[in-house]
Every structure is written in structure tokens, then in C-alpha cells.
Amino acid sequence: MNSTGYTASQSSHSWPASDEYAALQALPEIWPIAARRFGTILALRDVHNKPSLELTYVELAQQIRQFATALQVLGVASGDRVSLFSDNSARWFIADQGCMSAGAVDVVRSSQADPPELAFIYQNSGSSALLVENLKTCQAVLPLLDPATVRFIGLLSDETPPAEASVKTLNWNQLLSFGAEGVFNPPTFQIEQLATLLYTSGTTGQPKGVQLTHRNLLHQMNTFPEVLHPRPGASVLSILPTWHSFGRTVEYYLLSQGCTQVYTNIRQIKRDLQTYRPVLMASVPRLWESLYEGIQKQFREQPPKKQKLVSFFFQWSERYITARRTLQGMDLNHLRPSLGQRMGAFLQCVALAPLHALGDRLVYSKVRDALGGKFEASVSGGGSLAMHLENFFEIVGINLLVGYGLTETSPVLTVRRSEHNLRRSAGRPLAQTEIKIVDPETRRPLPLGQQGLVLARGPQVMQGYYNNPEATAKAIDPEGWFDTGDLGWLTPDSDLILTGRAKDTIVLSNGENIEPQPIEDACLRSPYIAQIMLVGQDQRSLGALIVPNWDVLQPWVESQGGTLQLPDAPPETGSTSATWSLDRPEIQSLYRQELVREVQDRPGYRPDDRIGAFRFLSEPFSVENGLLTQTMKVRRPVVMERYRDMINDMFS
């Protein structure tokens, strides 16, 4: 550390320089090498989508090449944009890599997104062709497009295209037949060439196109070996959306290593864990919350004596892992434990180890068996893990490695390692990645251990926002430092500890990014709401702090035969009507109805926009109480801090 601040970084010594992948110029160059290396090993198993599909590495490389040939035959040239609106499947992967293999830039988004959003993405990206999951998606998007801008539409389904379509439409088998009859023309790749466009929400609510190059993606491929070490043929589950950068890049890496990727979903995952017994999986906190809740439900269904026994083991095992963390220097509160602390932790470990081992034999091993019995590790992204989840899965022997990054960083910047799994941290930087903490106002570097704005620099940082130089200049400074918008600090061992968000985006525990302002604006249409601020970072759903419009609420209460108890007002005397507080069920129901209506009526509504819990504030946001800026904007970090206990209670 110097006097001007501290930068955490990792050198490039851990890159697999001898590996054939390290010298590649483009991501799709991986698949011919993988076909030669892994041959008849099963690459993709997709049994939940129709039709089901299983492909070896040789067959996968062949189909990617055939799809790329079909695009070229249909007129797609190197550098052309092709929109790919579909969800997770083996065919998605073939289409994605087929686009890149043809030299095209694929523009990806979920088929479940709002059709106007999909139309905007197609038009804004300058796409000239459209690949969609099925006819339903096609029929939702095509009427919003100028047919003259769509060279052809490809379906990832076997449905029969409409006979009188305004745009040439081909189903999956028809597309592949074009590829079988054509001759593939391998493009000449440059590593700085644009590979894909991923659209992410901006503060204005208008999506921005994140430009990721082949260098960005290959950096992730070549640095993930620091974290995960899969064996060829190892079973891995794919559950995250592949149009999110995290699930996508982890899939690229695991397939580059010869794994067998099994597609699953939240409905099938418990069965698939048992059936396919995976060793690795990319995940988000919500998945572990769901698995945890399912396991706890099974515990609650046991006889009372067995429940007490389970509780007994977990109680003592939590003490054991806490002592073990201190002994290993893996406790955030004791990063540099004294000799006395180490001795105390050692004695606790010795005393508690037999109980923990017995709990493992009687209880924890059965939990691991329920997850397939072969689980080695999972990288969890999209938000922090709650400590009760960290503790539970460490106790039962499931290795969760939390990572951190953004779409704009391809996405992984930092991640924990199995040999250095510091709970509550976001891990250490990947190779060739720098993390710097600066003052949010002055941008001056801060000393080690001091909280500030997190900046990042490295080969994974995006090329910029597509056709948006103003937003690009705001996000990336002239020295290449990307503004993550997050607050945090660094430990002496270069672990990143995230403490909050400097920008407004809320990331739910399922990894979905929510821009609060448009939803808040919609809620303010209700006459009963004077002010509102959304919360919910790392939670399963959004919550809201609401300042009621007393002038409207009071007459409504009186119309229901009650008298509203206003804040700081003395109780009315002599009134014959009942005094209502804000906890009154009728008032709670009224606001629930208002929130549901206004949020669902908002253009572009998604299920994740739903507001779950809410609490009322008696004091409005104002400049005088420090909750509004001079320009009348809500000071979100200040509000969060002032009402932290209320917010914690809301989600407890």
C-alpha cells in the first residue's frame, strides 16, 4: 500500500499458457478443439425441453458449424447483428455459437421479456435477422418491427412456419438443412472483435447494449481454472438464464473442459440433483434459499425427538465452523487472529470435532445425498449469500464460492477460491484484474480497509455501450477504470467486501436487476401514496417504504366508519367511531391493492417488479431532514441507513 491508496490485483502467472485455448482469437474456436479432445463424451443433455436432445462433443461441434453455415447461406456476413430471443436450451447454445462461428454478433434476451423491449433491442442493435424460441415469440415481436429490416426469422422449435408470413421464416430442421447443403466459409477473427450484445437496464429505464468482445469472453475462459477444476465427463447442471452473462460464461468454461451439461429448471432441480449427481453448478442466492427451505421443511416433518437431535447437532457444528474459520484466518472479524485467539479456536475445534463428525454421519451426509452426493462446488453470483445460508451449507459440507461482477465485466471480477473461502466476502480478483476503492465524490484512492466506491480494470471490461458514447464515458474513465456503482472495501489479502450500492439498481437474490425509479413513478400514480422508495437488495422480492397521502387516506378511513390516527396527533376525544392505525387490516389491504394495480399496469411489467412487504413512514422525505437532495431526489443510502432496522424487519 502506498500513501495514495490501495489496488488489489492478480498477475497473469496463473493463466494456462500451455493450454491451446490461451492462444485463441475467438470463443467459437474452442469447439473444434473440444471435439478432438473429448470426442464421444456427452456434451449436452436437454431432456426437459421439447424435443429432448443429447449431443456428444463431436456432434456439438458439427451442429454449431452446420448452423453457422446456414446463417451464411441465408446472407449473414461477419459483423452482422442477429437477435436471439430465447431461453435456456441446447438449441440456444448451438444458435449462440453458430452465430459467433459465422462471425456474426448475437444480441441475446429472454423470450419472456416484454415484446416492446425485444423490438427496441432488435432495432437499437441494428439486427438484420431474428432467431426466436418459438412461433409465440415470433408473433409477439414481428408486428412491432419493420419487416423490411428482417432478412429472415429462424425458429428454435420444430413448429411449421406460417404459409403467408410477411418475412421468410424457417424452423429448426429447415435451418439445419440449409447448413447441410452449404459450404462453411470460416471468418478471420480478431480478438478485439465484437462477439455479443447484452442489453441491461439503465437509470432511465431504457436498455443499454453492453458490447462484449472475444477478448472479454476468452479472459473468463482462461481464468476460471483458478476457481473450478472439472474433469472431462463430470456432470454439471445448467439452471441460470444463458442470456445473463454469468450463466453463459460459466457454461462456456465448463463445456470447454469436457463436462456433461444437463439443462434443468427450478421445478426439476431437486429431481435432477438426484438423477444426474452433478459436481458443479453456477447459481444465484435464490436457488440456495429454495434448497435450504426444502431441507428445513423435511426437518420439520420429522418426529419431535429427531428434530431436537438435528437442532442439537447444528447448534454445536455452528460453533465448530466459527472456531475453524478463526483458526484458518477465514473469519472477517478475525482476519489476523492473535496467538491467543488461535489457541482458543484450536481447543474449540478439538473439543467440537467429534460432535461435528457425528452430526455429519447422522444428518449432514443425508443432506449431501439429497443433492446428489457428488457436489464439489458452486459459484454463486448475482448477490450476496445470507449468513444463515453460508453457515448451513458450510456445516453440511457444500462448498459455495461467491463471486462478483456485472454484465459490463463479462461478468466475473472477483470470486472466492476453495482454499480461501472467506465468508461475507466477494472473493479475490481474477488474473489480470484490478480492484480499486476510491472516494465517491473526489475519486481519490482510499487506504486499505476504508469503504468507498469500487472501480475495476481488466481484460473483461466491456468495449462500451453500443451507440452510446455518453454512457460509456460515464462508466469507463480514460485510464480504463470501470465504475461498478457498488460500495466496498478490501482486506489485506485483497478480498473484496461489498457494503452497498452507490447507484440505484436493486439486485434480487435470483440475480434479476431492478431499476426502482420507473416502478416508484408508477406507484406514485396512486392517490394514497405521497412518497415511496423501493428496497430489496439481495432479497427474494422488492419491498417498499411508503409515506401515505394523509389528505386522501383520512377521508377514505372515515368513509369506512373509522377515524385515522394521524402521526404525532393526540387521540380524538368524544368520537363515536373506532380509531384506526396504519396496521389496521383494511388499510394494509387498501395499499396492497394499490401497489398491485399500479405496478402491474406499468408498461413492461415483469413478475420480479412485484412489491412484497411494505412499511409506512410517518415522516416524509424532505431536504430539511436530509432525506432529499437540493434537487429533490431521494438520498437512498441515507434513507436505507436511517430505516435499516425497519427494512431488516420487513424481510425477516
Side-chain angles (χ1 to χ4, degrees):
M1 186 181 75
N2 56 42
S3 61
T4 59
Y6 182 88
T7 300
S9 62
Q10 292 292 330
S11 68
S12 61
H13 74 275
S14 56
W15 277 46
S18 61
D19 193 303
E20 289 178 88
Y21 297 150
L24 298 183
Q25 294 294 299
L27 186 79
E29 293 175 337
I30 288 174
W31 312 120
I33 298 172
R36 187 181 72 248
R37 283 185 175 182
F38 310 122
T40 58
I41 291 176
L42 194 63
L44 301 180
R45 175 179 277 131
D46 190 353
V47 298
H48 300 308
N49 290 301
K50 302 299 180 185
S52 61
L53 186 64
E54 292 188 348
L55 294 173
T56 66
Y57 275 88
V58 168
E59 293 167 336
L60 176 61
Q62 289 173 342
Q63 288 219 6
I64 289 172
R65 183 186 178 101
Q66 192 170 341
F67 197 94
T69 305
L71 295 181
Q72 291 179 340
V73 170
L74 290 165
V76 174
S78 185
D80 284 357
R81 274 72 167 161
V82 177
S83 284
L84 172 55
F85 300 151
S86 178
D87 290 292
N88 238 17
S89 70
R91 288 184 173 182
W92 185 98
F93 190 89
I94 294 165
D96 166 59
Q97 286 308 289
C99 286
M100 288 193 196
S101 296
V105 177
D106 64 351
V107 185
V108 298
R109 191 70 173 99
S110 168
S111 62
Q112 305 301 312
D114 196 43
E117 180 184 347
L118 296 179
F120 170 83
I121 290 171
Y122 183 92
Q123 294 160 348
N124 182 265
S125 65
S127 290
S128 58
L130 178 61
L131 302 173
V132 292
E133 183 166 328
N134 48 33
L135 273 175
K136 180 182 177 182
T137 310
C138 176
Q139 292 163 353
V141 178
L142 187 57
L144 305 177
L145 301 177
D146 178 0
T149 66
V150 187
R151 183 176 296 152
F152 67 89
I153 297 173
L155 305 177
L156 272 58
S157 68
D158 295 334
E159 298 166 288
T160 302
E164 300 298 327
S166 59
V167 175
K168 183 175 185 177
T169 305
L170 305 165
N171 65 21
W172 181 259
N173 291 320
Q174 291 170 333
L175 275 170
L176 289 184
S177 68
F178 272 87
E181 297 166 2
V183 177
F184 181 58
N185 181 26
T188 300
F189 287 109
Q190 301 293 327
I191 198 166
E192 298 296 350
Q193 185 176 327
L194 190 60
T196 187
L197 276 174
L198 292 86
Y199 275 75
T200 183
S201 297
T203 55
T204 63
Q206 198 72 281
K208 293 180 292 190
V210 174
Q211 300 179 103
L212 298 184
T213 66
H214 288 286
R215 181 187 294 279
N216 295 148
L217 299 176
L218 286 170
H219 169 268
Q220 303 279 285
M221 299 305 97
N222 288 321
T223 53
F224 281 174
E226 301 174 17
V227 184
L228 300 174
H229 321 285
R231 298 175 299 278
S235 178
V236 298
L237 286 186
S238 169
I239 190 171
L240 300 185
T242 43
W243 41 267
H244 272 186
S245 56
F246 177 49
R248 189 178 184 184
T249 51
V250 171
E251 285 191 11
Y252 291 157
Y253 170 65
L254 294 177
L255 287 169
S256 76
Q257 303 302 302
C259 296
T260 296
Q261 179 167 283
V262 180
Y263 290 90
T264 187
N265 53 57
I266 199 66
R267 295 185 303 277
Q268 305 289 342
I269 187 167
K270 292 178 183 177
R271 182 185 304 170
D272 287 345
L273 284 166
Q274 288 276 315
T275 303
Y276 300 110
R277 306 179 72 191
V279 297
L280 295 168
M281 177 172 59
S283 58
V284 293
R286 181 67 192 101
L287 173 63
W288 297 107
E289 290 172 7
S290 177
L291 292 173
Y292 172 82
E293 289 163 1
I295 295 167
Q296 292 299 319
K297 182 175 181 293
Q298 291 186 359
F299 286 159
R300 290 192 297 269
E301 291 171 351
Q302 300 300 314
K305 286 186 178 180
K306 196 165 187 178
Q307 289 186 47
K308 288 182 179 179
L309 184 64
V310 168
S311 178
F312 169 82
F313 281 127
F314 272 101
Q315 177 184 350
W316 288 102
S317 286
E318 186 166 342
R319 295 187 181 185
Y320 170 75
I321 64 166
T322 300
R324 186 175 63 186
R325 290 173 189 166
T326 300
L327 188 61
Q328 297 171 342
M330 289 292 107
D331 187 331
L332 197 57
N333 297 319
H334 303 97
L335 289 174
R336 294 289 186 267
S338 65
L339 178 62
Q341 289 171 331
R342 284 185 181 274
M343 284 299 299
F346 174 76
L347 293 174
Q348 284 193 62
C349 284
V350 170
L352 297 173
L355 269 178
H356 179 69
L358 183 59
D360 188 79
R361 188 164 74 247
L362 297 178
V363 181
Y364 315 148
S365 60
K366 293 179 174 57
V367 175
R368 292 196 299 275
D369 289 342
L371 300 180
K374 289 190 173 182
F375 216 91
E376 293 178 3
S378 175
V379 177
S380 177
S384 61
L385 280 172
M387 273 311 295
H388 73 278
L389 298 177
E390 295 265 32
N391 292 337
F392 177 84
F393 286 105
E394 183 179 355
I395 287 170
V396 302
I398 299 296
N399 197 21
L400 300 185
L401 305 173
V402 173
Y404 165 69
L406 303 93
T407 302
E408 291 89 340
T409 59
S410 305
V412 183
L413 291 167
T414 66
V415 65
R416 301 180 197 169
R417 277 59 160 188
S418 294
E419 67 277 9
H420 187 85
N421 195 352
L422 179 63
R423 271 71 185 184
R424 291 169 53 198
S425 82
R428 292 170 164 176
L430 288 177
Q432 294 194 336
T433 302
E434 298 174 274
I435 299 294
K436 181 167 66 172
I437 309 299
V438 301
D439 184 283
E441 301 298 329
T442 66
R443 297 301 175 102
R444 291 179 179 174
L446 295 173
L448 180 67
Q450 190 168 330
Q451 177 183 286
L453 181 66
V454 180
L455 303 184
R457 184 167 66 179
Q460 69 270 62
V461 173
M462 67 172 179
Q463 197 176 65
Y465 294 113
Y466 182 67
N467 277 349
N468 198 336
E470 296 84 5
T472 300
K474 187 176 180 181
I476 305 174
D477 72 17
E479 295 181 348
W481 288 101
F482 173 73
D483 182 348
T484 69
D486 290 302
L487 300 173
W489 56 279
L490 290 165
T491 72
D493 292 320
S494 296
D495 301 282
L496 177 62
I497 314 299
L498 296 172
T499 56
R501 295 190 64 81
K503 56 185 180 181
D504 297 341
T505 306
I506 296 171
V507 183
L508 299 179
S509 63
N510 64 1
E512 192 64 29
N513 288 259
I514 306 292
E515 293 297 333
Q517 192 68 56
I519 301 175
E520 291 165 349
D521 290 344
C523 293
L524 288 172
R525 294 181 306 200
S526 167
Y528 297 95
I529 298 175
Q531 292 174 313
I532 184 171
M533 192 188 94
L534 297 189
V535 294
Q537 179 67 29
D538 297 330
Q539 301 296 334
R540 293 165 57 179
S541 62
L542 294 173
L545 299 175
I546 298 172
V547 178
N549 185 338
W550 305 106
D551 293 337
V552 177
L553 179 58
Q554 188 168 13
W556 181 86
V557 170
E558 291 172 356
S559 73
Q560 304 298 308
T563 299
L564 182 63
Q565 177 60 52
L566 296 174
D568 302 325
E572 289 192 21
T573 57
S575 175
T576 57
S577 56
T579 300
W580 286 19
S581 70
L582 292 174
D583 293 328
R584 181 95 175 184
E586 290 90 338
I587 293 180
Q588 294 283 322
S589 177
L590 168 68
Y591 277 86
R592 170 62 59 206
Q593 293 172 22
E594 294 293 301
L595 292 172
V596 168
R597 184 187 69 250
E598 300 300 349
V599 171
Q600 291 188 355
D601 286 350
R602 188 179 73 87
Y605 165 77
R606 301 173 299 171
D608 284 314
D609 295 344
R610 182 186 63 84
I611 297 172
F614 60 90
R615 295 289 186 273
F616 293 110
L617 303 180
S618 58
E619 181 184 25
F621 306 144
S622 68
V623 176
E624 290 72 21
N625 63 17
L627 301 182
L628 290 183
T629 67
Q630 293 294 329
T631 55
M632 306 304 288
K633 294 178 181 176
V634 177
R635 301 178 66 187
R636 296 177 188 273
V638 178
V639 175
M640 290 281 291
E641 188 60 35
R642 184 168 301 184
Y643 295 105
R644 181 165 302 280
D645 291 341
M646 179 183 287
I647 295 169
N648 290 340
D649 178 70
M650 188 189 306
F651 292 110
S652 64

